[in-house]
Amino acid sequence: MMRFATAFLAAFAATLALPTASVLAQDAVAERPAEKPLWAFEDSDIPVDPAFRFGVLDNGMRYILRENATPEGTALVRLHIGSGSLDETDKERGLAHFLEHMAFNGSRRIPEGEMVKLLEREGLAFGADTNASTSFEQTVYKLNLPRNNEELLDTALMLMRETASELSISQEAVDRERGVILSERRDRRNFAYKEIEDRLAFTVPGARYADRLPIGVIEVLEHANADDIRAFYRRTYVPANAVVVIVGDYPLTEMEAMVRRWFGDWEAAPDPAKPEAGPIDIARSSDTDIYVDPALPERLRIMRFRPWDDRPDTVVMRQQNILRQVGYAIVNRRFQALARGEDAPFRGAGFGTGDVFEDARMTSLVIDTEDDGWARGLDAATVELRRALQYGFSQSEVDEQVAKIRSALEASVRGSSTRTNGALMNAALGLLDEQRVPSTPESSLERFEAFANSITPEATLAALRDDAAKLAEPLIRFEGRSEPDGGAPALRAAWESAMQIAIAAPEKAETKAFAYTDFGPPGVVASYTTDDRFGFHLVRFSNGVRLTLKQTDIRKDKISFRLTLDGGQLMETREDPLKTALVSSIPSGGLGAHSQDELESVLAGRRVRLSVSSQAEGFQMGGSTTPDDLQLQMQLLAAALTDPGYRQEGEERFRRNVKTFFASLDATPAQALGNKLGEILSDGDPRFSLQPEEAYQDLTFSQLAADIGDRLKHGAIELALVGDFEPQAAIDAVAATLGALPAREADFQLREAARTRQFTQDHSTRTVTHSGEPDQAMVRMTWLTTDDRDLAEALRLNLLNRVVDIELQEQLREELGKTYSPSSSSSPSKTYHGYGTFSLTASVDVNEVEATRAAIRAMLADLLARPVNEDTLARARQPLLESYDNMLKSLGGWMSLADLAQSEADRLQRFIDAPEIIESISAEDIRATAQRYLGPGKAVEILVLPEGQTR
C-alpha cells in the first residue's frame, strides 16, 4: 500500500536520461504536448485501439474501459487523479501523499478502519491488491479484483467514489496516520534517497520539482491538520481532474453503466491549474559537484540542457523517435561491449536524452566505475561517444537494433489477443500520463515496416545529433565513497583532456552465425505418459532427460521454460561454502564459440535467453521464448551445458560486483540484517554465513569448472515447457538438443548429509549495527518451525502468517503508528529436514525500539491466549483461497507445478488438496499452531541499531 517509491523513481527517468526500450512495446514514445485536447488521440494520426472505450461524464470526469480476459475472470480498477506533489504549495509539501494514505481511513459510507477489512473479506490482499502511489503529477488508486462477479466490481467502484469525493479526513485519523507517514519518510531517506536530493539541488537549483519530492518535508508532516489536507483534497480531487480506468473480464456495457451510476452525481468543480515544474536554466554550464557517501559506488554524470520541444504523438514523430532510439541504443551497445570485455574501463555507462517535465530536455553521459577508476572510465566512455558522433554507425549495428525492434513488435502482434490486464492498463495510463496513443500491435508493426527501410546509418546518426545536447562545458557531477584526487578542478581537467584524445574510426566486426546447431542424432523417447488432472505430457528420453509439457494458449505465442540440473547449493559444504557462488556468472563468460557480447549480436531479434542460477537443490536455467525460437532456445541451453565459455571477463565482472557489494554491507538496517541473519540463525555455519570479501575475490572459473563440470556432463535434467506450442514440435526440439546429449543420471541426487541445517539454541537478544541514518532501526524476531513435508501443517503456518500480518498492520501501523510496513513470513523448508522459520520484521525509529518490542509481544500473547476472531481469520483466508483459484491463469503459475512434475510428482496432489485444507483450518488451529512454534522464549530476536547505539 502507498507504493510511493516506484512512482517516485520512475519520475526520475528523465533526470537520469538513460535510454529505455519503450519502443519495443509499441512505436517509439512521444512526449506530452504543452496544450492537450481531452484525449491525445484526437489530435493524432495514430489510430487508437478500437477495443478501448473512452468516455466523459457530464461533470467532466473521464473513463477508459477495456474488456479483456487475460487472466480470465479478473480485473484491474484504477482511479487516476491528475495531481501530485507539484500541486502543493510551500505549506503543503507532502500533503498529496498524506491524502493518499487518508483514502484508507474512513469515508461517508465506510467507517474508519473498515475499508481494508472489507477488501480482505473479498479476497484482496493488503498491499498486493489494495494499493496506491503518489508522484509529482498524479496520484493513482489501485484495486486488483481476483474475480469478475458484478458485486465485486460494484464494491470496487463504490470505494473509488468514496476516495474521489467522500473521505472523512478526521483530525483523529490524521494524527494516527502521521506516525505512519513519518515512518515511511524515515525508511525512505537512506543513502540513495539523499543522493537524489543532492543531485537535484545541483542539477536544477531553484526548480519547483526539486523541492516537491512526494514524501514531503518534516515541518509540514509533523504539523499538518485535517483542514490542511481537506483543502488540498477539495482543490484537486474534482471530476475534471479524475479518470476511472477498468480493464478486465466484464462486458463493456456493464462497466460503463456502473461508472456512470457511481460517478455521475459527483459535483463538477474547476479543474486545478497545471503547476509549474521549473524554472530550469538551460544555458547553465561548467559547474561541478562532488557528493560523497561511504555507501555510494563511484559514478560520473556529464550533463547539458537544451530547450524542451513539443513532440505530439504522431506517425512522423514516432518515426523520428525510432531513429533516435536506434542511435542511442547503438552507442549504449558499444558501452556495453567495453564493460563486458577483459580489463574493462568501467562497470557500465549510458548515454541518453530525456524530458525534464515540459521545461527542458537533458542529455547525460553516465559512467559507473570502480573506486578511483573515474578518470580511466571517463576517457574510455568519452572517446567512444565522440567516435560514434563523428564517424556514425555501421549497417550491421543498425540491423541489430532494427531486428530487436521488429522482433518485439512481431511478438506483440502474435500475442495481441492475450495481452494481459496489466499491459493494457499500462497502455491506458500511458495515454493519461505521457499522451501516448494506445494503438494496436498490428498497426504499430505496419507503421514500423513501412518506415523500416528509412532506418539507415545516416538517418540514425542525424537524428541522434539533432536530439542530443552538445556536451560543451557541461555540468559534471561526481558521486562516490571518497573525493576524487584533485577535486573539482581535476574532474574538469579530465573532461577537457578526454575531449582532446585522438579518435579513429571504429573497426567493423562481422556477425557470426550461431555455432551450436548440431548435437548429434536426436534422442529417442523412452516413455510418454500424461497426467489428466493438469493436462501434462510427461516425456522421458533414453538419455535420462525428463520433459514436462503443458500446452496452453493463455498467452499466445509465448512459452515459459525452466531447466533444472542436478547440483545446486546442496553441493556446498562447511569446508567449501562458496562452491556454487560463481554459477550465476557463467553467462558472463559466454560460450566456447561466442563471448557474451558476441552472443547478443548473433541472437539479435530472437526471443531467447541464457541465465543460470544456483538454487537449493539444483542449477536452474529459465525464461521465455516463442514457438518460432523454441528450437534455438533449446540449442542455447544445450550449448551452455556442453561448452560454457568460462572467459576471464566473466570473472572480472563478478569481482567488480563483489567489491561494490562489500563497500555498502551495512548501509541500511535491511542490508545489515540481511548480511548477518544467516550467520546468527545457523551459529555461524559457513554455508549460510557471508564469507570474507577475499573468499569471493579468489573464486575462479577454472575451479568452478572442476567443481560442477561433472554435473554439467552427467547430472539429471528435468525440463518444463509451458505455453503456446505443438507438443510434437516441442518434443522434436528437445530431442535434437538436450535429448541428443550423452546419457545422464536417472535421478537427482538426494545428498542427505547436506540436508541438515542448525537453528541456534542461543535465544538471547542480538544487536547488529548499521552505518545508515541515525534514526533508523529494525526489530526482527525469528522462530524455528518445521519443514513442509506435512502439507496441512505448512498451510496452517501460511494462514497463521497472514493472520499475524493483519495484526501487525492493524496494531503497529494503524493503531500505534510505529512503523510503515511491518511484515511477517513463514518459510517451511523443502530442502532441509525439520527446518523452517517464522519471522516478524518492523522498521522503526530508534527511539521506538522498546515500545515496538513490547507491542509485538502483547500481540503475540493475545494470539497465544485466545483464538483469533472469525472475521480476522476470514480476511486472512480469502486472499489465500483466491490465489489458488487464480494460480493457473498465468504461465508462471503453471510453471510452479510443471517444473518438477516428474521428480516431485507428489506435489501435484498437494496443489489439488490445499484449498479444502485451507477451508478447514479453524481459529483454534491457528492458536494451536502459534502455541506450538511462537511461544515465549522461542524467538531469536535481533535489533538493528545505528553504529554507536546500544540497547
Side-chain angles (χ1 to χ4, degrees):
M1 183 174 166
M2 326 307 181
R3 301 294 185 190
F4 145 79
T6 301
F8 168 68
L9 292 175
F12 281 98
T15 306
L16 292 169
L18 293 178
T20 67
S22 54
V23 70
L24 302 183
Q26 291 190 10
D27 304 274
V29 174
E31 285 77 17
R32 178 187 309 122
E35 294 183 3
K36 58 186 180 184
L38 191 62
W39 304 106
F41 55 78
E42 293 174 352
D43 280 354
S44 174
D45 54 357
I46 304 287
V48 68
D49 184 342
F52 282 103
R53 179 171 294 183
F54 304 91
V56 57
L57 304 180
D58 292 342
N59 57 17
M61 193 200 84
R62 293 179 292 162
Y63 57 86
I64 305 174
L65 311 174
R66 175 68 182 251
E67 187 174 344
N68 192 60
T70 305
E72 182 182 3
T74 67
L76 304 179
V77 180
R78 304 289 185 262
L79 171 62
H80 181 283
I81 302 295
S83 293
S85 59
L86 276 179
D87 291 78
E88 299 163 350
T89 66
D90 285 346
K91 296 181 179 180
E92 293 176 328
R93 287 175 293 171
L95 294 196
H97 178 240
F98 206 136
L99 174 57
E100 175 213 306
H101 276 240
M102 297 308 300
F104 296 84
N105 280 284
S107 64
R108 181 167 64 89
R109 289 183 176 86
I110 308 298
E112 184 179 338
E114 289 299 315
M115 181 179 289
V116 170
K117 294 179 181 179
L118 184 157
L119 290 167
E120 287 171 337
R121 294 180 194 115
E122 294 287 354
L124 281 72
F126 180 80
D129 304 309
T130 307
N131 213 322
S133 63
T134 301
S135 60
F136 288 112
E137 297 182 288
Q138 57 273 140
T139 303
V140 182
Y141 297 91
K142 310 170 187 180
L143 295 176
N144 299 342
L145 309 188
R147 60 187 184 281
N148 63 337
N149 61 306
E150 182 178 346
E151 294 77 11
L152 184 55
L153 180 60
D154 188 70
T155 297
L157 290 178
M158 179 273 289
L159 293 175
M160 290 301 195
R161 173 58 196 278
E162 293 291 285
T163 298
S165 63
E166 307 299 320
L167 297 182
S168 304
I169 315 181
S170 70
Q171 187 60 50
E172 295 78 11
V174 169
D175 290 338
R176 278 193 299 275
E177 196 67 24
R178 193 186 316 277
V180 177
I181 299 282
L182 292 171
S183 174
E184 180 178 357
R185 184 179 187 276
R186 181 192 64 245
D187 291 350
R188 300 291 186 204
R189 294 197 78 253
N190 57 22
F191 68 94
Y193 188 99
K194 288 164 59 176
E195 183 278 319
I196 291 174
E197 290 180 316
D198 183 85
R199 177 169 16 118
L200 292 179
F202 166 70
T203 308
V204 287
R208 179 184 177 88
Y209 86 92
D211 199 30
R212 289 295 187 282
L213 299 183
I215 198 63
V217 296
I218 198 76
E219 54 267 29
V220 172
L221 300 178
E222 286 184 337
H223 302 292
N225 60 40
D227 289 340
D228 298 328
I229 298 173
R230 199 174 292 115
F232 184 84
Y233 182 47
R234 290 171 177 165
R235 186 173 79 244
T236 58
Y237 282 50
V238 297
N241 199 31
V243 184
V244 170
V245 188
I246 309 173
V247 178
D249 203 359
Y250 289 98
L252 281 173
T253 54
E254 181 178 325
M255 290 189 273
E256 188 168 38
M258 282 197 184
V259 169
R260 290 185 173 278
R261 178 160 67 86
W262 279 110
F263 291 89
D265 63 350
W266 186 6
E267 186 175 350
D271 192 4
K274 182 175 180 178
E276 293 293 327
I280 295 174
D281 181 4
I282 61 174
R284 183 163 162 255
S285 64
S286 300
D287 286 345
T288 307
D289 183 47
I290 296 173
Y291 182 78
V292 174
D293 189 290
L296 282 174
E298 196 165 273
R299 169 174 281 186
L300 268 178
R301 298 176 190 271
I302 315 298
M303 302 168 283
R304 276 306 303 258
F305 290 107
R306 55 163 291 175
W308 179 81
D309 57 327
D310 189 1
R311 296 179 176 181
D313 191 13
T314 64
V315 170
V316 170
M317 188 57 65
R318 289 196 181 192
Q319 292 171 347
Q320 289 303 303
N321 281 343
I322 288 176
L323 292 175
R324 299 175 186 123
Q325 170 94 17
V326 170
Y328 286 117
I330 294 173
V331 173
N332 287 295
R333 179 72 178 84
R334 292 186 183 181
F335 288 156
Q336 185 183 61
L338 287 173
R340 286 172 169 172
E342 286 192 42
D343 193 27
F346 43 67
R347 294 188 298 115
F351 178 64
T353 303
D355 283 348
V356 185
F357 298 94
E358 295 181 4
D359 292 78
R361 286 177 62 78
M362 185 173 73
T363 296
S364 296
L365 171 62
V366 181
I367 311 158
D368 292 329
T369 58
E370 294 188 78
D371 290 351
D372 300 320
W374 62 268
R376 180 175 177 236
L378 178 63
D379 281 350
T382 303
V383 164
E384 200 58 47
L385 176 60
R386 290 174 55 217
R387 192 191 328 272
L389 292 174
Q390 178 172 334
Y391 291 103
F393 313 126
S394 68
Q395 186 63 53
S396 63
E397 287 179 308
V398 171
D399 290 345
E400 180 177 325
Q401 299 306 320
V402 168
K404 291 179 179 180
I405 296 172
R406 176 177 285 115
S407 173
L409 290 171
E410 289 174 344
S412 294
V413 169
R414 291 191 295 267
S416 177
S417 63
T418 55
R419 281 178 288 173
T420 64
N421 291 342
L424 293 169
M425 178 60 72
N426 288 340
L429 295 178
L431 174 66
L432 302 179
D433 296 333
E434 305 298 334
Q435 304 300 293
R436 185 175 66 245
V437 178
S439 58
T440 66
E442 291 80 5
S443 68
S444 294
L445 178 60
E446 182 181 352
R447 287 190 300 276
F448 172 79
E449 293 296 1
F451 181 67
N453 288 339
S454 301
I455 308 174
T456 64
E458 296 75 18
T460 298
L461 178 61
L464 179 63
R465 286 173 172 170
D466 178 69
D467 188 59
K470 291 182 172 58
L471 295 178
E473 300 180 332
L475 307 177
I476 300 178
R477 187 171 191 275
F478 172 92
E479 61 195 60
R481 294 179 235 286
S482 60
E483 289 204 16
D485 289 343
L491 293 172
R492 183 67 53 181
W495 167 256
E496 293 172 355
S497 174
M499 291 295 288
Q500 299 304 315
I501 296 174
I503 57 175
E507 296 180 4
K508 296 183 179 180
E510 293 295 325
T511 300
K512 299 179 182 179
F514 187 56
Y516 301 92
T517 58
D518 186 0
F519 295 89
V524 176
V525 172
S527 68
Y528 190 148
T529 60
T530 59
D531 186 326
D532 294 336
R533 296 171 301 174
F534 298 98
F536 288 162
H537 296 251
L538 309 173
V539 182
R540 188 158 191 152
F541 291 92
S542 58
N543 68 347
V545 170
R546 285 173 285 199
L547 169 65
T548 298
L549 303 173
K550 172 57 188 178
Q551 183 185 26
T552 173
D553 61 357
I554 55 177
R555 294 297 306 279
K556 289 286 190 182
D557 201 55
K558 189 169 184 179
I559 303 169
S560 180
F561 68 90
R562 184 176 298 164
L563 182 151
T564 303
L565 169 69
D566 179 70
Q569 294 164 8
L570 282 178
M571 296 178 65
E572 298 171 348
T573 64
R574 286 177 175 269
E575 296 72 30
D576 191 359
L578 301 181
K579 180 173 286 189
T580 71
L582 201 54
V583 162
S584 62
S585 293
I586 288 176
S588 298
L591 300 174
H594 304 292
S595 69
Q596 184 188 32
D597 193 70
E598 188 176 85
L599 268 176
E600 181 160 343
S601 296
V602 170
L603 302 176
R606 307 298 295 272
R607 313 295 281 184
V608 296
R609 181 172 184 259
L610 177 59
S611 67
V612 189
S613 64
S614 182
Q615 302 298 316
E617 299 186 53
F619 303 120
Q620 277 191 358
M621 304 178 189
S624 63
T625 186
T626 66
D628 286 348
D629 287 333
L630 179 59
Q631 180 80 25
L632 178 60
Q633 180 65 70
M634 295 302 102
Q635 291 171 345
L636 188 59
L637 296 181
L641 293 173
T642 58
D643 193 25
Y646 293 132
R647 283 178 176 76
Q648 179 69 26
E649 56 258 34
E651 286 184 12
E652 291 179 1
R653 290 176 64 190
F654 175 81
R655 293 185 184 119
R656 290 195 296 269
N657 291 335
V658 165
K659 188 174 182 179
T660 300
F661 171 81
F662 273 88
S664 59
L665 273 183
D666 60 354
T668 67
Q671 286 175 264
L673 175 65
N675 290 321
K676 291 293 289 185
L677 184 62
E679 176 185 340
I680 292 172
L681 295 183
S682 69
D683 283 336
D685 187 330
R687 296 176 298 165
F688 312 111
S689 305
L690 186 69
Q691 299 301 296
E693 179 179 355
E694 296 75 20
Y696 296 90
Q697 294 287 3
D698 289 343
L699 296 175
T700 64
F701 274 151
S702 61
Q703 185 59 53
L704 180 68
D707 288 337
I708 72 167
D710 181 67
R711 296 299 82 209
L712 297 180
K713 291 180 180 179
H714 303 121
I717 289 176
E718 186 161 354
L719 171 69
L721 299 177
V722 174
D724 186 14
F725 56 80
E726 291 299 325
Q728 190 57 53
I731 292 171
D732 291 345
V734 177
T737 52
L738 298 170
L741 301 181
R744 319 290 300 188
E745 293 169 358
D747 298 300
F748 293 102
Q749 295 183 18
L750 294 178
R751 297 185 173 84
E752 287 292 342
R755 292 180 181 272
T756 58
R757 181 167 182 173
Q758 181 176 339
F759 188 89
T760 183
Q761 296 299 305
D762 180 0
H763 290 188
S764 62
T765 301
R766 321 293 181 86
T767 298
V768 171
T769 60
H770 69 87
S771 60
E773 298 305 299
D775 59 348
Q776 294 180 353
M778 184 175 284
V779 176
R780 167 82 174 217
M781 298 180 183
T782 306
W783 293 261
L784 175 67
T785 57
T786 187
D787 59 38
D788 80 338
R789 283 178 290 182
D790 183 337
L791 174 61
E793 186 76 341
L795 292 172
R796 285 190 288 268
L797 281 164
N798 195 343
L799 196 52
L800 171 63
N801 168 45
R802 290 172 177 263
V803 167
V804 170
D805 214 43
I806 289 173
E807 297 288 356
L808 285 172
Q809 295 289 342
E810 292 183 354
Q811 296 186 36
L812 264 69
R813 176 183 165 124
E814 301 302 335
E815 293 181 18
L816 301 178
K818 300 291 185 188
T819 179
Y820 167 61
S821 57
S823 63
S824 65
S825 66
S826 175
S827 303
S829 177
K830 184 172 77 74
T831 303
Y832 301 101
H833 297 322
Y835 188 88
T837 60
F838 192 101
S839 63
L840 308 180
T841 308
S843 298
V844 296
D845 187 279
V846 69
N847 296 316
E848 295 287 349
V849 168
E850 293 306 319
T852 301
R853 296 173 73 197
I856 292 174
R857 290 195 190 101
M859 182 271 291
L860 290 170
D862 188 63
L863 190 66
L864 296 171
R866 60 185 61 84
V868 64
N869 70 66
E870 290 297 330
D871 181 62
T872 299
L873 181 59
R875 288 158 47 208
R877 189 198 324 266
Q878 194 58 40
L880 184 55
L881 291 171
E882 296 287 357
S883 71
Y884 273 90
D885 285 345
N886 288 319
M887 182 173 164
L888 301 186
K889 296 178 181 179
S890 69
L891 297 185
W894 275 113
M895 182 57 75
S896 67
L897 290 179
D899 63 345
L900 297 173
Q902 297 186 52
S903 58
E904 297 181 359
D906 60 305
R907 292 187 171 267
L908 299 179
Q909 188 61 42
R910 288 167 62 106
F911 177 81
I912 295 171
D913 294 341
E916 184 177 349
I917 295 173
I918 294 169
E919 289 276 20
S920 71
I921 297 172
S922 67
E924 185 56 47
D925 292 333
I926 294 297
R927 181 173 71 155
T929 305
Q931 290 174 335
R932 189 152 50 250
Y933 300 111
L934 310 186
K938 294 183 177 181
V940 175
E941 189 172 2
I942 303 172
L943 307 181
V944 188
L945 304 175
E947 288 178 344
Q949 291 270 357
T950 58
R951 293 172 51 200

